[in-house]
Amino acid sequence: QVQVMQSGGGVVRAGGSLRLSCTVTGTFDIINSMAWHRQVPGKQRELVATITSGGSTNYADFVKGRFAISRDSATVYLQMNNLQPEDTGVYYCYVRTIVRAERRRHEYDYWGQGTQVTVSS
């Protein structure tokens, strides 16, 4: 069993900052990639940022220079600075774990429960 628990989020004024956290617990051998996605009103869920097990990061153009993804063992963070009203939405943590069994790597994907971020103008 693997659990993915998010925390953080809330309401902030435009230009403000928030930090999201997501911790993975349970049975697995490796946490491979971790990422943050979001679903803003009227749009489909979209990728915000990713971080690999080696620490390489990638960002969507609309958050470059404002958001920073980082990880520490089984926790991934999203530091969000200079938030704007268009950043309002539900933010989801995504995790890919690996379990080694029978000389094979088995990959499993998990999502957090979602966290509301509201930015007022």
Side-chain angles (χ1 to χ4, degrees):
Q1 288 283 356
V2 171
Q3 290 189 327
V4 181
M5 291 298 299
Q6 295 183 217
S7 61
V11 181
V12 67
R13 289 187 176 182
S17 298
L18 287 173
R19 190 192 198 204
L20 305 181
S21 300
C22 171
T23 298
V24 185
T25 59
T27 303
F28 48 84
D29 292 313
I30 300 171
I31 296 176
N32 194 358
S33 57
M34 306 178 89
W36 290 95
H37 290 69
R38 74 182 187 185
Q39 187 158 16
V40 301
K43 290 188 176 182
Q44 293 188 335
R45 191 175 298 189
E46 58 189 358
L47 178 65
V48 175
T50 62
I51 186 166
T52 68
S53 57
S56 296
T57 59
N58 191 36
Y59 297 92
D61 287 342
F62 53 79
V63 301
K64 282 182 180 177
R66 300 189 298 126
F67 292 11
I69 189 171
S70 61
R71 61 186 287 176
D72 178 11
S73 184
T75 300
V76 62
Y77 306 94
L78 185 67
Q79 178 65 43
M80 304 183 291
N81 299 323
N82 191 23
L83 283 159
Q84 299 300 315
E86 53 265 33
D87 294 317
T88 294
V90 179
Y91 285 68
Y92 297 90
C93 171
Y94 160 84
V95 177
R96 171 163 288 181
T97 66
I98 294 174
V99 175
R100 296 193 184 100
E102 301 173 343
R103 299 184 179 182
R104 295 182 61 184
R105 288 162 53 103
H106 301 267
E107 296 181 336
Y108 300 92
D109 297 335
Y110 299 93
W111 291 90
Q113 77 275 22
T115 300
Q116 177 69 42
V117 171
T118 302
V119 185
S120 62
S121 57

